[in-house]
Amino acid sequence: MISLLLSIASSTAILTLFKVFGRFQVNTFQAIVTNYIVAASCGFIAYGSLAATDAPWQKSWFIPAVLLGVLFISIFNLMALTAQRLGLSVVSVATKMSVAIPIVFGFLYYKELATVPKLLGIGLALLALYLSSKKGKENPKLELRDMALPLLVFLGSGIIDTSIKFLEEDRVGADEVSQFSATIFAAAALSGVLLLLVKSFKSKVVIAPKNLLAGVALGIPNYFSIYFLVQALRIPYLDSATVFTLNNIAIVIAATLTGILLFKEQLSKQNWLGIIMAVSSIAIIAYFN
């Protein structure tokens, strides 16, 4: 149970840091690039050195893992932007609601049974995404452009989860999961460094120490959010459906409370309804999955 609590705390810390970055004018992209270098380093250090005959580029999943790394850093940037513009509750709900996408993939690819509870959960998830991100008339600038942010986070996160599920079941061996995850982090870091180099040719890029420190602060919980979740899934008296349900619901609630207590975020009745529906949809999808 401690592993599950630490996973929830790590995931909530990631969302909170995104909000803090905006307050302290941290260059989000530089911090995210540093974050993936740190996360990849944590992974390779934790799992030990690899023999030349067991290098990741020799695996059938290597190219898909590299592509996932690029998508990871893209979605991380979108998550940071969403947290800064719309709040912690919105980005947490958008991320967790993306569980609907791998479920739909399961219906189509794995021919899983599309039960009424599952379809109800997916419908609630989409409605919850809209309600939780909808702002009042007091800020007319938050319209289609900002509404697109949680939708992109929703789609991107869902594609990532679906891809990982497909690769782990079809290509990644049981003893290769840690190597596969570390490779994704490394690919995200490399793609970020390359983008920074491209930007440096177009205009002067100043890498401030605070951006590097912010990246280190982000990279450590980013790695451990996954590490402790895997440990939680090994708890003998909890099945995976229970673990995922508790994890997702707790992150949504914790991120929302953090936004209210630390950043004085104001939620409308529609926002609260969306969050309640989000918790309900997560419970329905996870329980009947």
Side-chain angles (χ1 to χ4, degrees), residues 224-267:
F224 282 107
S225 65
I226 297 175
Y227 174 82
F228 286 122
L229 180 59
V230 172
Q231 296 301 317
L233 289 169
R234 295 175 180 173
I235 298 175
Y237 55 86
L238 291 178
D239 57 31
S240 61
T242 301
V243 171
F244 281 122
T245 301
L246 293 175
N247 187 66
N248 289 355
I249 289 176
I251 291 171
V252 171
I253 295 174
T256 301
L257 293 177
T258 300
I260 294 172
L261 296 175
L262 295 185
F263 305 110
K264 309 302 180 182
E265 292 184 358
Q266 299 294 322
L267 301 182

Side-chain angles (χ1 to χ4, degrees), residues 157-234:
S157 299
I159 291 172
I160 287 174
D161 291 341
T162 301
S163 300
I164 291 177
K165 176 181 178 180
F166 172 77
L167 291 171
E168 286 188 343
E169 289 195 10
D170 288 45
R171 296 192 184 185
V172 181
D175 58 342
E176 297 176 340
V177 175
S178 60
Q179 186 185 19
F180 172 66
S181 301
T183 301
I184 293 176
F185 284 135
L190 180 59
S191 61
V193 170
L194 291 175
L195 283 174
L196 278 178
L197 289 175
V198 170
K199 287 185 177 182
S200 67
F201 285 114
K202 295 182 178 180
S203 61
K204 185 177 180 180
V205 175
V206 178
I207 301 179
K210 69 177 180 179
N211 300 331
L212 300 180
L213 290 174
V216 173
L218 185 63
I220 294 174
N222 190 20
Y223 170 73
F224 282 107
S225 65
I226 297 175
Y227 174 82
F228 286 122
L229 180 59
V230 172
Q231 296 301 317
L233 289 169
R234 295 175 180 173

Side-chain angles (χ1 to χ4, degrees), residues 97-108 110-127 154 165 241 277-278 280-289:
M97 291 305 93
S98 65
V99 71
I101 294 178
I103 288 179
V104 172
F105 178 77
F107 295 157
L108 301 177
Y110 294 110
K111 307 301 181 183
E112 295 176 355
L113 184 62
T115 62
V116 172
K118 284 184 178 180
L119 294 176
L120 175 61
I122 293 171
L124 278 175
L126 296 175
L127 184 57
F154 172 83
K165 176 181 178 180
M277 292 177 67
S280 301
S281 65
I282 290 173
I284 291 172
I285 292 171
Y287 183 78
F288 291 98
N289 187 26

